[in-house]
Amino acid sequence: MKRLRATFLILPAATLIFLFVVLPYVTVLVMSFRAPADGQPYGEGFSLAGYAQFFNEGYYAWSLPQSLVLGILTTFVCLILGYPVALHIAKASKRWRGLLYGIVLSPLLIGIVIRSYGWTILLGNSGVINSTLRQFGLIERPLPLMYNNFGVVLALAHVFLPFMVLPLLSALQSMDPALGQAARSLGAKPFTIFRRITFPVSMPGVQTGCILVFVLAISSYVTPALVGGMRVKTTTLLVIDALIDQFQWPFGSAMALILAVSAGLIVLIFARLTAMKWN
Amino acid sequence: MTEVSLRSLVKRYGKTEALKGISLHVRHGEFVSLLGPSGCGKSTTLKCIAGFEEVSGGQILFDERDISRKLPEDRDIGMVFQSYALFPHMTVAQNLAFGLEMRRVPKVEIAERIARAMDMVQLSAHAERYPKALSGGQQQRVALARALVIEPAILLLDEPLANLDAKLRDEMRGFIRDLQKRVGITTLYVTHDQGEAMTMSDRVVVMFDGQIAQAASPEEIYDHPTSERVARFVGNANILDLAVSPRGDGQLDLVLPGGHLLRVERPACGAGGGMRVMARPEQIALTEPAAGQIGGRVAKRYFSGRHVEYHVETDVGPVVVVAPTTHAVREGEAVGLRFDPQRLWPVPSAEAPAEGRE
Ligand SMILES: Nc1ncnc2c1ncn2[C@@H]1O[C@H](COP(=O)(O)OP(=O)(O)OP(=O)(O)O)[C@@H](O)[C@H]1O
Ligand SMILES: [Mg+2]
């Protein structure tokens, strides 16, 4: 009876997961093995042509390391920028905490296209930064702030910072404040306390935040497209190109799966490396 | 071995004065409890000594050296927290090693010392466990060992037993006290449990509202409280309104409603204003109605196994008497009460302006 009721309770969730996760993945998986065709999305029978094309043509193959590096860099920048912010909010008084929380979440309130466009206004060759510097005679030719990894990582980190800060914050806030006092009474200086106590104890938050940002960054489309100006070729850009412009569904599906599996592997390795025996 | 002196310690949080001039001297190896109701400033006192709070006035001396401006990490204290504050990502052995590593003790010596410390708290079998895998009592012992392994000058404990169940708490009382005696470390212990303070301490410091009301041995606090408030806070107390008349020879005459006269020692404190008389429930004898100094009627009777508690209505108000279970008096019966003049203790009444000793 109890078993039966439990089954009923997970039924809605199970249905949703099947409909929106399992089914699409299976469809993509099957599609990636279909034969390519001209004038229609896919042809008769099955083939490995999509996978072969990806790995044989450097134009496509190089997009994978490009995507992964972009994801890793964005994650790293978010961690470096987000950790001090989270520390600060965790220590702030109640009154300030709300305001700081709002500031951290604010990038999410603006649509992604508008925000990316905003970055192009700032970073472009005749954008705010370059034209100002030129006016003051500090530079002769515009600095390459856009259409490269620098600009894309900057814009991505801006959007995804909240996804790093929130898990960090929750880890830091659930930490017993007496831990720091105990460490001090044992003779530890503030920086030692951060290195040996605060940071390791906040590791579950670091893990969650890094995985979230990495996965989001690697699958982002609008920001690399606008800020990268099609010159930063990520796999996601090529997937959309294959599916929508070239109308090659098997090839697009194969690339999407290759990206998903690679990202999954990296997440797995990261989780292994940062595994916490104590938790 | 270290002596601790607090001299007119004041701590303000904004406008609220959490400590209003605390003066206390703790001797070498002494076990002193800070006892008082919630919010009276016990933890604040401890935090000031540990250095987690900056003092607003006064001095803290370890062996005559003023340390009130020193950083917590330079004060050489061992501290045990109510939440234990064990480092969750370190094993028991690593938790114990932390303080020694901070002191740059050589590796070999660290291993020896943590082995000895784990032995001392009977946790050698759990050296490689993480705190989450230990019971509350075991975590408590790790916290104690971690504070002691650095051989600090003084040991501070802030309600270390508050999170344990009653049985374990009794066990740990004895354990902590024995350990403290063996190590011989000067110890300050914060608690709001008067039983804990009485059984463990050499001296109990009763605090109210950021001030010390009385500091004395457990026996002295229990038998000779200097104020009605202390009398009521420590154990059960009957506070009786009796006619008190001072005599020339340093004694007091108490007149009971039936005309009985009791002659008692006059306490040194607050003899000026109004006086009331404290009688502990177990120091009053229950007798036949005719044999008592005053008469009364049993209103309530509570049996607890070890003894029986009677609530008796008398001419001087309700009186609680604790008697051996061999007495068999029923509710509603008339009884007599006898007081032992040696044990009665006059206290300044709560309305008197000067409460406690300054
Ligand atoms: N950080 C703080 N900011 C403002 N007021 C504080 C702070 N810490 C303590 N107080 C106040 O100081 C007084 C003493 O607090 P303290 O924590 O020392 O009490 P306590 O005797 O330890 O009580 P408890 O038994 O509840 O732990 C209280 O009135 C408390 O509200
Ligand atoms: Mg407290």
Side-chain angles (χ1 to χ4, degrees):
Chain A
M1 185 62 211
K2 236 184 183 161
R3 284 278 282 277
L4 205 65
R5 200 151 47 183
T7 319
F8 266 118
L9 284 176
I10 60 163
L11 210 60
T15 313
L16 277 180
I17 288 177
F18 181 77
L19 279 180
F20 293 111
V21 179
V22 179
L23 215 56
Y25 255 103
V26 171
T27 316
V28 171
L29 184 69
V30 172
M31 180 56 68
S32 75
F33 290 108
R34 305 301 297 226
D38 268 336
Q40 60 190 65
Y42 57 94
E44 292 290 309
F46 293 92
S47 92
L48 286 172
Y51 292 92
Q53 186 181 359
F54 182 84
F55 288 112
N56 286 336
E57 293 181 30
Y59 176 78
Y60 295 108
W62 277 110
S63 75
L64 185 60
Q66 167 66 67
S67 275
L68 298 179
V69 164
L70 205 63
I72 291 169
L73 281 178
T74 306
T75 307
F76 191 71
V77 169
C78 280
L79 182 62
I80 298 290
L81 294 180
Y83 207 102
V85 174
L87 259 185
H88 200 80
I89 299 180
K91 279 188 192 146
S93 66
K94 267 222 180 76
R95 203 148 45 100
W96 282 102
R97 200 174 296 158
L99 183 70
L100 294 171
Y101 225 80
I103 293 175
V104 166
L105 289 178
S106 64
L108 299 178
L109 299 177
I110 308 163
I112 191 151
V113 176
I114 297 170
R115 191 178 40 233
S116 298
Y117 187 64
W119 277 109
T120 66
I121 293 175
L122 274 178
L123 303 177
N125 284 347
S126 47
V128 176
I129 294 175
N130 274 323
S131 54
T132 311
L133 288 177
R134 211 153 13 171
Q135 232 159 26
F136 285 104
L138 294 170
I139 51 170
E140 281 176 12
R141 284 191 295 145
L143 295 174
L145 303 175
M146 243 183 89
Y147 314 120
N148 54 19
N149 278 327
F150 173 83
V152 179
V153 167
L154 191 65
L156 283 179
H158 174 221
V159 205
F160 297 142
L161 199 60
F163 297 95
M164 181 64 84
V165 171
L166 294 185
L168 285 178
L169 194 55
S170 109
L172 288 170
Q173 278 178 335
S174 63
M175 195 173 124
D176 180 0
L179 287 187
Q181 295 185 343
R184 277 202 102 170
S185 75
L186 290 167
K189 294 276 170 199
F191 183 71
T192 312
I193 296 176
F194 175 78
R195 194 170 53 83
R196 300 240 1 224
I197 311 289
T198 314
F199 189 73
V201 172
S202 71
M203 208 51 204
V206 173
Q207 224 180 29
T208 312
C210 284
I211 291 174
L212 270 177
V213 171
F214 177 73
V215 169
L216 286 170
I218 230 169
S219 57
S220 61
Y221 174 77
V222 175
T223 306
L226 287 181
V227 182
M230 289 311 194
R231 260 171 273 185
V232 177
K233 287 263 182 258
T234 67
T235 308
T236 322
L237 292 184
L238 299 182
V239 169
I240 303 288
D241 188 52
L243 290 177
I244 292 172
D245 296 335
Q246 300 178 31
F247 219 44
Q248 294 180 6
W249 289 7
F251 183 43
S253 303
M255 284 197 287
L257 272 182
I258 291 168
L259 179 65
V261 169
S262 315
L265 276 177
I266 288 190
V267 166
L268 216 67
I269 292 168
F270 174 74
R272 268 291 157 79
L273 288 179
T274 56
M276 293 150 285
K277 268 184 291 175
W278 52 275
N279 205 7
Chain B
M1 288 284 230
T2 309
E3 293 185 316
V4 180
S5 276
L6 309 181
R7 294 204 185 141
S8 328
L9 206 59
V10 174
K11 175 65 194 174
R12 277 181 291 267
Y13 291 108
K15 279 202 186 109
T16 55
E17 217 171 25
L19 299 181
K20 305 169 183 166
I22 300 281
S23 292
L24 179 69
H25 182 79
V26 185
R27 290 185 292 274
H28 291 306
E30 198 181 13
F31 191 118
V32 170
S33 289
L34 302 182
L35 174 68
S38 188
C40 72
K42 308 180 295 286
S43 299
T44 304
T45 309
L46 224 55
K47 281 183 201 155
C48 287
I49 298 174
F52 301 137
E53 295 286 1
E54 223 171 286
V55 301
S56 317
Q59 285 180 313
I60 303 167
L61 303 130
F62 288 1
D63 284 339
E64 304 301 312
R65 277 173 300 119
D66 186 357
I67 52 102
S68 42
R69 301 274 164 256
K70 271 197 180 181
L71 294 172
E73 58 267 35
D74 301 329
R75 288 192 184 190
D76 200 19
I77 47 158
M79 182 137 185
V80 177
F81 297 82
Q82 182 175 339
S83 62
Y84 315 141
L86 296 180
F87 307 133
H89 59 303
M90 298 186 191
T91 61
V92 170
Q94 287 167 340
N95 264 281
L96 296 198
F98 187 81
L100 297 173
E101 287 163 11
M102 293 302 116
R103 284 166 168 68
R104 305 193 189 290
V105 175
K107 277 229 161 64
V108 187
E109 195 188 330
I110 291 184
E112 280 169 19
R113 278 170 72 173
I114 64 176
R116 241 182 298 141
M118 280 187 292
D119 203 38
M120 184 173 72
V121 296
Q122 296 148 28
L123 279 171
S124 304
H126 302 313
E128 298 313 316
R129 289 230 196 145
Y130 287 98
K132 258 196 186 163
L134 298 176
S135 73
Q138 289 169 334
Q139 291 186 28
Q140 181 59 74
R141 299 212 299 271
V142 177
L144 204 57
R146 184 180 66 179
L148 287 175
V149 75
I150 56 172
E151 292 170 10
I154 62 166
L155 179 63
L156 306 176
L157 304 102
D158 193 351
E159 311 216 18
L161 306 184
N163 290 339
L164 301 178
D165 61 57
K167 188 123 195 302
L168 201 53
R169 202 152 52 209
D170 286 349
E171 247 175 68
M172 284 301 293
R173 278 184 195 177
F175 184 86
I176 292 180
R177 180 54 167 153
D178 286 349
L179 193 59
Q180 185 269 340
K181 271 192 182 152
R182 229 173 332 139
V183 178
I185 188 170
T186 310
T187 302
L188 270 156
Y189 186 101
V190 163
T191 179
H192 62 254
D193 179 332
Q194 49 105 4
E196 220 167 277
M198 302 295 259
T199 50
M200 298 174 77
S201 321
D202 294 316
R203 209 142 50 97
V204 177
V205 175
V206 182
M207 290 179 66
F208 295 121
D209 309 323
Q211 282 176 312
I212 295 182
Q214 189 174 3
S217 69
E219 291 84 355
E220 183 71 11
I221 295 261
Y222 189 77
D223 289 335
H224 302 149
T226 51
S227 71
E228 195 179 321
R229 203 164 169 202
V230 174
R232 287 188 191 279
F233 190 76
V234 179
N236 284 325
N238 294 298
I239 304 288
L240 309 173
D241 266 317
L242 300 179
V244 179
S245 49
R247 290 163 47 90
D249 54 3
Q251 293 191 312
L252 297 171
D253 278 338
L254 307 178
V255 187
L256 295 177
H260 271 90
L261 200 73
L262 298 174
R263 193 154 295 170
V264 301
E265 288 297 323
R266 174 192 185 143
C269 64
M275 296 289 268
R276 298 168 98 182
V277 179
M278 178 196 79
R280 295 289 184 190
E282 70 282 359
Q283 296 168 354
I284 304 171
L286 219 51
T287 66
E288 293 298 316
Q293 292 159 340
I294 57 170
R297 188 169 296 279
V298 173
K300 286 273 185 287
R301 176 182 184 276
Y302 301 99
F303 177 78
S304 81
R306 213 182 299 175
H307 48 67
V308 189
E309 192 177 295
Y310 297 98
H311 290 221
V312 183
E313 292 298 339
T314 72
D315 294 340
V316 291
V319 174
V320 177
V321 179
V322 168
T325 50
T326 45
H327 277 265
V329 185
R330 281 189 302 274
E331 285 183 6
E333 258 183 73
V335 290
L337 301 182
R338 287 196 73 83
F339 300 97
D340 177 358
Q342 305 285 322
R343 310 298 298 269
L344 286 178
W345 182 251
V347 288
S349 68
E351 297 87 64
E355 188 196 278
R357 190 179 65 187
E358 288 300 318

